[in-house]
Amino acid sequence: MALDILVRNVALRNIDGLRDVGIANGRFVSIEMPSAAEAATLMLDAEGRMAVPGFVEPHMHLDKALTIERAPVNVSGTLTEAIKIMWDIKRNYTVDEIADRASRVLGRAIENGVSHLRSHVDVDPIGGTRPAEGVIKVRERFRGLLDIQIVAFPQEGIIKSPGTEALLREVMKLGADVVGGMPFNEASPSASRRHIEVVFEIAKEFDADIDMHVDETDDPQARTLEVLAELTIRNGWQGRVAASHTCALASYPRHYADHVIGRLREADVNIIANPATNLMLQGRLDDFPKRRGLTQVKELLAAGVNVACGQDCCQDTFYPFGQNDPLEIAFLLCHASHMSQPAEILTAMETVTSHGARALRFPMPVVAVGAVADLVVLDARDTCEAITTRTPRRWVIRRGNLIAESTIARHRYFDPKQAHR
């Protein structure tokens, strides 16, 4: 078979030595020991660099991305003030400017090797359906370059925000894929429970998965995570639910945390941690010792709960940084969760690859004969080096097509004696 692309001398996870990887008709067709070069339309020599089968970004807010360019300063640095600042911005949204901002962020995502992405879009009477319409528009613009799931996200609440429930159904009809929620942003525990019940009602109506912002607070009395696990089992939605943030879990006493983690495992709820944003937002009102708000990643993993990690916010009122780079998120996760052992570093890479695919229920990304040819060649020899340096992506291949490349070589040394030439 004539090859479209041959990637030579590449290092692959769980395979000893280097391999030549052949691609044709959008799929991997050969993975062999290096040998005499086969005929290929495009020949790429990885020279021992490692590759992963595409990164997964499981939690973004494309509708809010880059709004820091016109937002007032979040003086307190808190989640509460960030939400309030967004009210005026959302009132002035247009579909086209949302799509244009999101496009800039997605361009960077592609350069960074992201092949699958899930974005929450605000659904409330303030912005109406415009956030969803803008991201649906950009999803079409980038179709074929990366797969995008859209979550209908009622950040302002459902029970305390009249009209939101109807808007959620409208946005699902427009083309959103997943039903979102934020149950702790209600006025009482009973309202929070009803919030979750409504989300399940809509999810069952549209046969959709669920991804909720859960207990994004330092408050150890926040209890919506356990309710979510309970209702997941009751509704038979095991494996189809993700709980994002779950910051309060880090404030629970050990016995209650272990109980909740056990319930999450029983319900097969996926956890999506967002280390960058939550390290920035949580603990703002603490004196010392100061909580940092990141969920109990290692404890969840040890219990068999699937944990993925996402960027969450990109240069908005919640988080002023962010460049949609999964390696940066894995790097922050390692620090915030004390993941320094070799096996833990490998797991950190999985939180932005295979764990993310499982949480989003995309097909598991693999480099194997017959699989879709998504491949990201990194300017690194192994996982630790890749996360340490947040290395450039040498080549990004998507469905058998080269869609991005970097000519920047990190290992570039110059002889001072030759510098004048």
Side-chain angles (χ1 to χ4, degrees):
M1 178 182 295
L3 298 177
D4 297 322
I5 302 177
L6 179 63
V7 184
R8 304 199 63 213
N9 302 307
V10 65
L12 302 173
R13 287 282 304 275
N14 303 318
I15 296 179
D16 293 333
L18 304 180
R19 292 292 187 272
D20 286 355
V21 176
I23 297 171
N25 300 320
R27 295 188 177 272
F28 296 116
V29 296
S30 62
I31 301 173
E32 301 173 348
M33 297 287 290
S35 59
E38 299 180 53
T41 303
L42 178 63
M43 193 87 67
L44 306 172
D45 190 351
E47 301 178 314
R49 296 177 175 91
M50 72 170 291
V52 297
F55 290 107
V56 177
E57 172 48 73
H59 189 113
M60 275 287 294
H61 290 268
L62 288 174
D63 55 327
K64 298 183 176 93
L66 308 183
T67 52
I68 197 172
E69 296 171 352
R70 54 193 169 102
V73 175
N74 182 348
V75 176
S76 68
T78 61
L79 175 66
T80 301
E81 184 175 349
I83 292 173
K84 290 180 179 178
I85 291 172
M86 284 302 304
W87 292 343
D88 283 337
I89 295 174
K90 283 195 286 189
R91 288 187 184 99
N92 295 299
Y93 272 164
T94 69
V95 171
D96 286 340
E97 64 93 11
I98 291 170
D100 289 344
R101 284 188 284 102
S103 293
R104 290 160 60 189
V105 174
L106 290 176
R108 177 63 65 89
I110 290 169
E111 292 172 356
N112 287 332
V114 174
S115 60
H116 298 80
L117 180 146
R118 174 179 283 181
S119 175
H120 296 251
V121 296
D122 281 15
V123 178
D124 52 56
I126 303 170
T129 62
R130 284 169 290 159
E133 292 176 59
V135 177
I136 288 170
K137 181 175 183 177
V138 85
R139 179 175 64 185
E140 294 305 311
R141 185 179 293 174
F142 282 81
R143 188 172 294 279
L145 296 175
L146 76 168
D147 292 331
I148 300 173
Q149 290 181 349
I150 297 174
V151 184
F153 171 48
Q155 180 173 265
E156 309 299 335
I158 297 175
I159 311 308
K160 76 175 187 180
S161 179
T164 296
E165 183 177 344
L167 281 169
L168 285 170
R169 286 185 167 86
E170 184 176 350
V171 166
M172 293 301 294
K173 291 175 183 176
L174 284 173
D177 308 284
V178 181
V179 187
M182 193 173 181
F184 193 67
N185 192 16
E186 295 285 1
S188 67
S190 61
S192 293
R193 184 181 186 89
R194 181 58 189 148
H195 180 118
I196 298 173
E197 290 172 346
V198 169
V199 170
F200 273 100
E201 290 166 8
I202 297 172
K204 295 177 86 169
E205 181 180 332
F206 288 90
D207 190 24
D209 291 355
I210 290 170
D211 187 343
M212 293 197 198
H213 289 54
V214 181
D215 295 340
E216 191 178 0
T217 173
D218 298 310
D219 186 351
Q221 300 306 311
R223 293 288 188 268
T224 65
L225 184 55
E226 182 178 8
V227 176
L228 177 63
E230 172 201 334
L231 293 180
T232 297
I233 296 170
R234 181 175 299 180
N235 285 280
W237 236 241
Q238 293 95 323
R240 301 190 64 177
V241 175
S244 296
H245 297 290
T246 68
C247 305
L249 183 60
S251 294
Y252 290 166
R254 183 75 267 150
H255 70 281
Y256 182 60
D258 289 342
H259 166 72
V260 172
I261 290 171
R263 293 291 280 167
L264 292 170
R265 182 183 64 241
E266 182 183 357
D268 195 14
V269 170
N270 300 281
I271 298 295
I272 300 177
N274 299 288
T277 303
N278 287 133
L279 285 170
M280 185 63 69
L281 290 176
Q282 305 310 130
R284 284 281 183 164
L285 304 180
D286 286 358
D287 197 352
F288 287 94
K290 188 180 290 288
R291 292 168 293 183
R292 299 315 311 275
L294 186 65
T295 194
Q296 295 192 29
V297 171
K298 290 173 72 170
E299 291 77 9
L300 288 159
L301 289 166
V305 177
N306 183 53
V307 179
C309 281
Q311 173 71 67
D312 188 18
C313 301
C314 187
Q315 300 173 44
D316 58 22
T317 63
F318 301 80
Y319 184 69
F321 309 114
Q323 51 185 348
N324 213 345
D325 184 357
L327 286 181
E328 181 174 87
I329 297 306
F331 177 78
L332 290 171
L333 176 70
C334 287
H335 285 75
S337 296
H338 298 136
M339 299 174 71
S340 59
Q341 301 303 310
E344 294 171 339
I345 296 170
L346 293 176
T347 298
M349 179 68 88
E350 290 172 353
T351 66
V352 295
T353 52
S354 59
H355 290 200
R358 177 180 167 187
L360 273 55
R361 301 210 303 143
F362 280 116
M364 194 62 63
V366 293
V367 182
V369 172
V372 173
D374 291 347
L375 193 72
V376 182
V377 180
L378 308 174
D379 190 15
R381 305 287 167 167
D382 56 37
T383 297
C384 187
E385 183 184 5
I387 293 176
T388 298
T389 61
R390 280 83 69 207
T391 179
R393 311 316 107 104
R394 184 65 185 88
W395 295 294
V396 178
I397 296 170
R398 175 72 169 138
R399 297 179 182 173
N401 296 302
L402 180 64
I403 62 171
E405 63 180 328
S406 171
T407 58
I408 299 173
R410 213 174 32 75
H411 301 296
R412 184 176 290 171
Y413 304 99
F414 296 96
D415 182 347
K417 296 179 182 178
Q418 305 297 319
H420 65 282
R421 296 185 178 180

